[in-house]
Amino acid sequence: MVRKILSVMCIWVVVQTVHAAQNQIDGLRIWPSPDNTRIVLDMSSAPEFTYFPLKNPHRLVIDLSNTSDSKTLSLQSDSGDLVRKVRYSTPKNKQSARVVIELNRAATPSLFAMTPTKPYGHRLVIDLKDSGAPAASSSSSGTFASSKSPSNASTSSVVMDGSSSHRNRDIIVAIDAGHGGEDPGSIGPAGTYEKHITLSIAKKLEAMINGERGMRAIMTRSGDYYVSPNKRPELARKQKADLLISIHADAFSQPQPKGGSVWVLSMRRADTELGRWLEKSERHSELLGGAAEVISDKSNERYLAETILGLSMDHSMATSHDLGNKVIEEMKQVTSLHKRAPQAASFAVLTAPDIPSILVEVGFISNPQEEKNLNWAKHREKLAKAMFTAAKRYFKQVPPDGTLWALERADSRTHTVRSGESLSLLAQRYNVNVSRLKAANNLNSDVVRIGQVLTIPRS
């Protein structure tokens, strides 16, 4: 009898051990982008898997060994139009799980496992390259569809590829909302995700730029999906951008630091503790959202190294520093500053050799009060306005060759304001509209001061 009880107990222990060792699917997340959809299976331990595609209809079948299929698989509302359904099917054996991803059209799959990186644990990442992605409006991992209406755009600018066949093209500003998708960025004490803050500010800035005659905005991402830091400057270069503004929210290991800052590229490692922290954060973002690209595409690193070594970046870096100062001048009217001069660090997103590029930290999301500020829509509007005003001020002074603003500047005259003169009087004297005179000088009011040099556009 004792022997029988012991035998039953041994069987129970073995069954429980097998059950305890079985992997679990803890959740499913999906991130659609213009030409790629990423599905993430959160796992309790490292997944062991195989997969194969099927046609008629299009499906991707994933077999997970030693894994339970008890977790419900359901798609969120914003899953895009590539993936129709994610479900279980009959597994190869009782110890495994079979996951089937039903697709609306063909897609090229890429699967890889990821080890725990806060705030996530083990994951199986499924990237689906969409065969039906529109080639004209998307690029590898990014989008450049502009929302600027034809009535606001310069008549001769070419929207499709960012180039211009005439002399009066738009000034193109690439706006980069930091993080996205699988990579939330920093997370505030109240649970605010940096990726949501940066995208909101980026969209507000996009609207301001597209509302300005002679300017046009393009976005490295227009939704909640991941784009590698190495890809972002490459995407801006393909669109022949005149400026890249990357928007982020700071974070630190302690809650006390606060204030905005502007960063430009350093050819050396950052020489401040905060700079080193941020460089480490960027590499952390790659692990969160772009491991497949880091693992499989070593040409990114080679391309960046060759570009930095082979091309002079002096002009772009000097321009970035000048523009950074202007952003700081505008931001100090909106928020406190962590640094009152542009800081330098080695960020991948700033490495386009021929495009002035700045990274704007809009505040410390790790600071409870600044997290509250960043969750206030009016505050985000003011931050976007500060960046827009700074960019406009800079390009009014130094418009890129071939742009509408460069043409207007060449056709303009200057006038030094004397005692008794007003804006309306000067507009009448030179036969130009007051609104045009204000636009040419980036004036927000009708007030002028004695000694001020005004640009007088040709009528």
Side-chain angles (χ1 to χ4, degrees):
M1 182 67 180
V2 172
R3 184 177 299 173
K4 185 176 181 181
I5 293 172
L6 289 174
S7 176
V8 171
M9 289 180 66
C10 288
I11 293 172
W12 182 85
V13 169
V14 169
V15 169
Q16 290 300 310
T17 301
V18 170
H19 179 74
Q22 194 172 46
N23 205 343
Q24 301 284 332
I25 299 174
D26 296 328
L28 179 149
R29 291 170 287 129
I30 185 167
W31 314 103
S33 74
D35 59 357
N36 186 81
T37 294
R38 170 167 288 186
I39 298 174
V40 178
L41 295 179
D42 291 305
M43 311 293 296
S44 60
S45 59
E48 296 180 12
F49 64 94
T50 58
Y51 66 95
F52 56 92
L54 293 173
K55 296 180 180 179
N56 301 320
H58 293 291
R59 287 155 291 162
L60 178 66
V61 180
I62 305 167
D63 287 313
L64 296 158
S65 61
N66 194 32
T67 300
S68 168
D69 59 3
S70 60
K71 177 71 176 182
T72 301
L73 301 177
S74 58
L75 297 175
Q76 62 236 36
S77 58
D78 56 344
S79 301
D81 64 352
L82 174 62
V83 178
R84 183 167 67 242
K85 185 178 182 181
V86 180
R87 59 176 173 82
Y88 292 113
S89 185
T90 305
K92 292 194 295 185
N93 54 61
K94 293 181 179 180
Q95 287 73 45
S96 64
R98 170 166 285 184
V99 175
V100 178
I101 301 173
E102 298 182 4
L103 304 170
N104 288 317
R105 53 188 172 273
T108 303
S110 173
L111 282 72
F112 58 96
M114 296 189 71
T115 55
T117 310
K118 289 184 179 180
Y120 303 117
H122 287 281
R123 286 153 289 162
L124 175 62
V125 179
I126 305 111
D127 278 338
L128 300 167
K129 186 171 178 57
D130 192 348
S131 64
S137 64
S138 66
S139 184
S140 55
S141 303
T143 179
F144 286 101
S146 173
S147 62
K148 186 161 188 174
S149 64
S151 61
N152 287 333
S154 298
T155 55
S156 63
S157 60
V158 178
V159 175
M160 292 301 292
D161 64 1
S163 64
S164 175
S165 59
H166 294 77
R167 292 285 298 170
N168 58 337
R169 68 171 179 87
D170 286 334
I171 294 170
I172 301 171
V173 180
I175 306 172
D176 174 51
H179 309 282
E182 175 72 352
D183 171 21
S186 300
I187 303 174
T192 304
Y193 281 11
E194 179 185 358
K195 66 175 183 177
H196 297 319
I197 297 297
T198 61
L199 184 59
S200 173
I201 295 173
K203 287 184 174 180
K204 293 178 186 296
L205 178 57
E206 178 192 26
M208 292 174 189
I209 289 173
N210 284 339
E212 183 70 27
R213 179 174 174 269
M215 296 184 77
R216 179 162 58 89
I218 55 176
M219 303 276 281
T220 60
R221 72 175 178 99
S222 57
D224 187 12
Y225 50 87
Y226 179 79
V227 182
S228 165
N230 287 330
K231 285 282 183 72
R232 297 174 189 236
E234 179 184 338
L235 294 169
R237 292 188 72 238
K238 286 181 179 179
Q239 294 292 308
K240 298 181 172 64
D242 298 292
L243 170 65
L244 170 65
I245 300 177
S246 186
I247 303 171
H248 289 255
D250 256 327
F252 201 58
S253 54
Q254 302 298 322
Q256 290 82 8
K258 65 177 183 177
S261 56
V262 177
W263 296 79
V264 296
L265 180 66
S266 170
M267 302 301 286
R268 299 174 296 180
R269 188 169 180 261
D271 55 6
T272 66
E273 183 182 5
L274 179 60
R276 290 191 291 272
W277 176 274
L278 294 174
E279 288 176 358
K280 181 180 178 182
S281 297
E282 187 182 60
R283 289 190 290 274
H284 181 246
S285 293
E286 289 185 4
L287 290 175
L288 280 170
E293 293 169 351
V294 173
I295 293 168
S296 65
D297 190 3
K298 296 298 184 182
S299 64
N300 273 342
E301 296 175 9
R302 185 168 61 253
Y303 162 79
L304 287 170
E306 289 174 354
T307 302
I308 293 172
L309 290 172
L311 295 173
S312 170
M313 299 182 70
D314 290 347
H315 174 71
S316 290
M317 292 174 72
T319 299
S320 301
H321 199 275
D322 186 9
L323 183 60
N325 276 317
K326 285 181 169 55
V327 172
I328 288 172
E329 289 173 10
E330 298 296 334
M331 281 184 64
K332 70 182 180 183
Q333 303 175 46
V334 177
T335 187
S336 60
L337 294 177
H338 187 71
K339 295 290 184 180
R340 294 186 172 273
Q343 304 296 294
S346 181
F347 295 133
V349 74
L350 300 178
T351 52
D354 48 355
I355 303 173
S357 305
I358 60 172
L359 187 149
V360 181
E361 299 279 5
V362 294
F364 278 80
I365 202 169
S366 53
N367 180 292
Q369 183 56 53
E370 292 208 331
E371 181 187 16
K372 290 180 182 179
N373 293 343
L374 292 170
N375 276 310
W376 185 31
K378 188 65 176 177
H379 184 69
R380 297 196 300 273
E381 183 88 17
K382 290 179 179 178
L383 290 167
K385 182 70 173 179
M387 294 178 224
F388 168 68
T389 302
K392 185 176 174 182
R393 282 177 54 200
Y394 177 80
F395 285 124
K396 281 294 182 182
Q397 293 175 354
V398 191
D401 290 341
T403 62
L404 176 66
W405 287 12
L407 182 66
E408 290 180 343
R409 186 174 180 84
D411 288 341
S412 64
R413 300 152 287 176
T414 60
H415 176 90
T416 303
V417 178
R418 295 187 291 270
S419 177
E421 293 180 330
S422 66
L423 205 63
S424 58
L425 180 66
L426 293 174
Q428 185 178 9
R429 180 182 301 171
Y430 288 102
N431 194 28
V432 295
N433 293 330
V434 172
S435 59
R436 228 184 130 200
L437 192 56
K438 288 171 67 176
N441 292 277
N442 197 28
L443 297 176
N444 296 319
S445 71
D446 293 342
V447 178
V448 291
R449 64 182 184 277
I450 296 173
Q452 183 176 359
V453 178
L454 298 177
T455 297
I456 310 296
R458 301 285 182 182
S459 56

